[in-house]
Each structure stands twice: as structure tokens, then as C-alpha cells.
Amino acid sequence: MSRTVRIVPTLLISLTLTACGGGVHGAPGGSGVHDPYFPMMGNGGYDVTHYDLTLAYEPAGRHLTGTAVITARATKDLSAFDLDLKGLVVAGVTVQGHDARWNRAGQELTVRPPTDLHRGETFRTTVRYSGTPETITDPDGSKEGWLPTADGALALGEPTGSMAWFPGNHHPSDKASYDITVTVPQGLQALSNGELTHETTKDGHTTFAWHTAQPMASYVAMVAIGHYSVRQLPTKEGPPVHVAVDPTQDQAAAEVVGRIPEIVRWETSLFGPYPFPSTGAIVAREGDSGYALETQTRPVFPGAPGLQTVVHELAHQWYGDSVTPKSWADMWLNEGFATYTEWLWQEDHGGDTAQQIFDALYKGNYYDNPADDKAIWAYPPAKPSSAAHISDSPVYERGAMVLHKIRQTVGDTAFFRILRGWAAAHRYGNADTADFTAYVRKQAPDKDFGVIWRDWLYGEGKPGHE
Ligand SMILES: [Zn+2]
């Protein structure tokens, strides 16, 4: 994600429904996974393996009709389980093809299957729903969820927005494969993550079917509906590059979008194999969202992006999308890496070196506004002060400074080995800050990282210079 302005935090409140079936041994799965910043996000008791979403959207009436078929494995005996879904009207829920009782309270859709689910059992839940999906205002004031646009809509999910358009286990710790099929009025495009498997037009509507085989966190699932010029860029090597550009942005975006194959090649040379079968970009109109987002395989940009923003969002394909945080406390593992990639790009392309950027940030003469220079020290990267601040500069720039401190300590050869190794060790998985510090220590056992962890990663205030 690129950074946004913050305003007043909102509080998400929900209730847990207690199931009490006679003679059953299962218990309710629970309404959250104890995320330190978004405690109601995600649900306990199961692990989703696949989402099959069949959606139809009429932009004129802003009406969405959806069927979500969610394949999951019970991680304990369950009498009931929760899905996160905000707004919309649920028409019915089945579990393993049988009607299930369900109840809604806030963002929790609690489902009680006719018979208990057993630990280890794989089960399929179908939720039919419809309505006008909500735009959600984040604790930091930015907008996500379903964002209506001039000619369609944009669905973006970091950190909580995906519950506005499909029911699910909406926490980064539960990744799954996806099929997302979207039907829209003929003449519009419906873009999503992964690869297009088919496209058919019938009775004035076109259906686009997208497939994501690699595990994906729901916050980087995406749909973009509207008039887009869609094309595949020529590449000599690397993954196929699919770009979709709003016609009003075509000219302004042409140069930077044309450099995506080069950027992916350069990042591959630093980080190791690109994690997904395809890449690209979606360039919507300015204002369609307030920020760019690293949606998996295909980042979304509101208007023609700058080169650094494209470098940043594509770096997230390795750090964020393939290696995903275990909780929102680990956001710096996404943003520190993507920000440091911007510094590396500048260093490699005739701009300031990472050391020069680090020094300017440390001395407090990096930004035009002195308040921004000070803001970096507001809290430590691995301990954001609140949900409203997970997208602030201590996570981004100071997170990048942590990486630079590691580089200073181990030298370039070991540092780039660590960047590549980290992406490989947790490819398609989840990791947290403790995993990262343990990994770095293991890669350079003769070095002392104590001060970096204590002062730069977890320490309050501005660390003293070493
Ligand atoms: Zn980012």
C-alpha cells in the first residue's frame, strides 16, 4: 500500500453467538483470531483452502449478487463457526449442501451446521447474498471495501475491506486459492487476481472467470469493473504482464506501465523467482481510491502512477503477498521491505544511495515538512501505536531503516542473501517479526543484532546512532 492521511479511529464492535446444541461435542469456532489491531477480523476453528466467488454487478443500481462457496478444514470440533461479512443481505447458507442456521451480529455471520463438524474434516459452505456493498472507512480514515467509480467499481481490502464484498475468514493468517467469476453489462471489463480462464458474452452480459492457484490473503483479493484497455506487454523473459488501464489514463500511464517487465526483472534479480504465474497493473482513475494497493499479481493504482510507486507495489508481490504477515502487527515486514526496494531502485539507477536516504531520514532533513521528519520516531516499526497508525512512516520508512541497519551490519553479500532467503523460506506462507529476527540471526550467527532489535525495531523514540 502507498501511504495515506489519517483521521479519527473507529471502533468495530461485535458479539459472539453461543451455540448450545443438545448432545454435541463441538464448540463455536469464535469470532476473531486475536489480532492485536483488528481483533474482530478473522475467525477461529477452521482454515479456508479455497474461495469460489460467483459475482454479478450492475453499476447503474450499484447492485451486487454473489454466491460464495468456501472450502475449509475444521481445526477443532465445531458446533458453529463465523464468517466476516459487513452489510449486504444474506439469502441462505448451506453446509455440505444442507441448509444451515445462521445469525448476523455486526460483521459476524455465525453459521450453525445441522450436524457438528469434526476436527480435520473438510467442509463446504455456500452463502448466497446480494445488495449494495459498503465502502468502509478505515481507522486511519482511508476508504476501502467496495468503491463505486464513474463507470463501475473497485474492490480493495487492506486491512478489512474484503468483508464488504464476500464472506470469509478475513485475516492475513488464513490464505487460500481463489476462483473469482464476475458478470457485468456487456462492454465493461471485470478484472481480478490471477489468470483469466474464460470470458463469455450472453444476453448483453459478459462473464470473466479469474483463477488464483497460489495462496492469497483476502486483503489482496481485488475486483476492478469498468472500461479498461486491456493488453499483454511483450516480455523476453519473466512472467506474462497483463495491464488494464482506464482510457483516460492511457497516455499518462504508458511510459511507467511499459517499464513493468524491466522492474519485475530487476526485482527478480534481487529477491529471487517472481512468486506468481503472471504480473501487471490496473490503472484506474485518479480518486477511484486514495492509495495504490499491492493486490496479488496485479497492483491497483488510482491514476497514472509514478515509477517509485510501481517499484513499491511490485516488491510487495514477494514481501506481503507471497510472504504474508501473521498479523497486522507485522505490517512493517510488508512496508519496510517495499520502501527499502524504492531506495535500492534509486541506488541502482543513478539516484541517492540507500545510505544517503537513511542519513537524511536520521538527520531529519528528508521531508519538506519538519513534522514528517519527526513522525518517523512516533513509535517502533514492530509495535504500531494503534490500528489508525499501521500505515504511518514508522512502519514504512523506519521499517526500511531497520533493513538498512542489518545491511550495515552484515555487508551487501549477506544482506541480499537474506532478502532472497527470506522470500524463499516463507514463500506462499505467513511470517511474523520474531520469525524474521530469528532468520537473520541464523544467517549471520557471528553478528550482534541486539541493538538493532532493541532500539530500531522495538524501541520507543529515536535510536542513538551507532
Ligand atoms: Zn506498500
Side-chain angles (χ1 to χ4, degrees):
M1 189 183 214
S2 56
R3 291 208 288 117
T4 53
V5 181
R6 64 188 148 79
I7 53 164
V8 185
T10 53
L11 192 65
L12 296 172
I13 298 170
S14 189
L15 302 168
T16 308
L17 188 81
T18 307
C20 48
V24 298
H25 302 291
S31 59
V33 292
H34 308 293
D35 187 276
Y37 296 90
F38 297 92
M40 297 312 294
M41 297 310 296
N43 305 284
Y46 65 92
D47 176 30
V48 178
T49 52
H50 187 72
Y51 290 93
D52 189 344
L53 308 177
T54 305
L55 310 173
Y57 188 63
E58 295 291 341
R62 295 189 179 175
H63 189 79
L64 179 77
T65 308
T67 300
V69 180
I70 302 164
T71 306
R73 193 178 47 80
T75 54
K76 60 184 194 181
D77 292 345
L78 287 172
S79 60
F81 60 91
D82 279 20
L83 296 164
D84 299 313
L85 180 67
K86 192 155 192 293
L88 300 166
V89 175
V90 173
V93 180
T94 65
V95 177
Q96 298 291 69
H98 302 291
D99 284 339
R101 291 164 65 191
W102 53 273
N103 184 280
R104 299 191 71 182
Q107 72 187 59
E108 302 300 316
L109 166 62
T110 303
V111 177
R112 198 191 305 179
T115 54
D116 270 17
L117 298 163
H118 297 290
R119 183 177 174 198
E121 182 181 349
T122 295
F123 63 101
R124 188 174 287 193
T125 305
T126 302
V127 181
R128 290 181 296 113
Y129 59 98
S130 64
T132 299
E134 289 183 18
T135 301
I136 294 173
T137 302
D138 283 341
D140 71 2
S142 57
K143 307 275 190 200
E144 51 159 334
W146 197 266
L147 308 168
T149 61
D151 56 356
L154 204 51
L156 297 178
E158 189 179 26
T160 72
S162 294
M163 65 179 169
W165 57 284
F166 67 96
N169 198 22
H170 291 305
H171 189 262
S173 57
D174 190 358
K175 298 167 76 170
S177 56
Y178 282 71
D179 281 291
I180 300 177
T181 302
V182 190
T183 300
V184 291
Q186 187 175 356
L188 294 180
Q189 300 281 332
L191 304 147
S192 188
N193 314 86
E195 291 73 53
L196 185 67
T197 56
H198 71 258
E199 177 185 332
T200 50
T201 297
K202 205 174 95 184
D203 302 332
H205 285 81
T206 306
T207 298
F208 299 84
W210 295 88
H211 178 65
T212 296
Q214 293 71 29
M216 177 163 78
S218 76
Y219 80 91
V220 284
M222 161 278 293
V223 167
I225 296 166
H227 293 100
Y228 284 95
S229 344
V230 178
R231 65 200 169 95
Q232 185 172 335
L233 301 185
T235 48
K236 286 193 284 292
E237 52 182 305
V241 181
H242 300 285
V243 297
V245 182
D246 184 286
T248 66
Q249 304 299 311
D250 244 347
Q251 235 180 337
E255 202 222 316
V256 67
V257 161
R259 294 186 71 177
I260 289 175
E262 171 197 349
I263 296 167
V264 172
R265 260 199 317 276
W266 176 80
E267 292 184 344
T268 300
S269 74
L270 293 181
F271 308 147
Y274 179 80
F276 306 116
S278 68
T279 189
I282 292 176
V283 181
R285 291 188 202 183
E286 250 171 76
D288 282 354
S289 73
Y291 48 84
L293 188 64
E294 64 269 25
T295 43
Q296 189 157 310
T297 61
R298 207 154 294 126
V300 168
F301 302 94
L307 181 64
Q308 292 289 335
T309 307
V310 178
V311 167
H312 177 111
E313 304 305 341
L314 289 171
H316 275 309
Q317 302 304 312
W318 284 262
Y319 307 109
D321 295 6
S322 171
V323 182
T324 303
K326 279 183 186 165
S327 88
W328 291 112
D330 308 309
M331 177 97 162
W332 83 275
L333 290 173
N334 289 6
E335 302 303 346
F337 278 71
T339 302
Y340 199 69
T341 306
E342 293 180 54
W343 300 4
L344 290 172
W345 176 275
Q346 291 174 60
E347 180 171 292
D348 262 14
H349 294 80
D352 288 345
T353 63
Q355 183 66 50
Q356 285 169 321
I357 298 169
F358 178 95
D359 289 342
L361 283 163
Y362 191 80
K363 285 180 195 137
N365 53 17
Y366 181 75
Y367 295 102
D368 294 335
N369 181 354
D372 292 334
D373 284 311
K374 237 177 155 168
I376 295 174
W377 316 113
Y379 60 81
K383 281 194 293 181
S385 55
S386 73
H389 296 285
I390 62 167
S391 293
D392 287 1
S393 61
V395 168
Y396 284 66
E397 278 77 17
R398 187 166 160 189
M401 292 174 94
V402 171
L403 295 179
H404 193 71
K405 292 297 292 181
I406 296 169
R407 184 179 175 188
Q408 287 177 332
T409 305
V410 301
D412 276 10
T413 305
F415 177 71
F416 287 103
R417 197 178 61 229
I418 287 169
L419 286 188
R420 277 192 304 277
W422 176 246
H426 295 279
R427 191 173 168 93
Y428 306 139
N430 291 90
D432 63 16
T433 303
D435 293 327
F436 179 71
T437 54
Y439 182 82
V440 172
R441 274 199 307 265
K442 212 171 140 193
Q443 295 306 310
D446 55 326
K447 303 289 183 192
D448 182 3
F449 300 97
V451 172
I452 300 178
W453 305 156
R454 189 193 70 203
D455 294 353
W456 285 88
L457 194 50
Y458 291 107
E460 298 289 343
K462 183 176 177 175
H465 223 352
E466 290 305 294

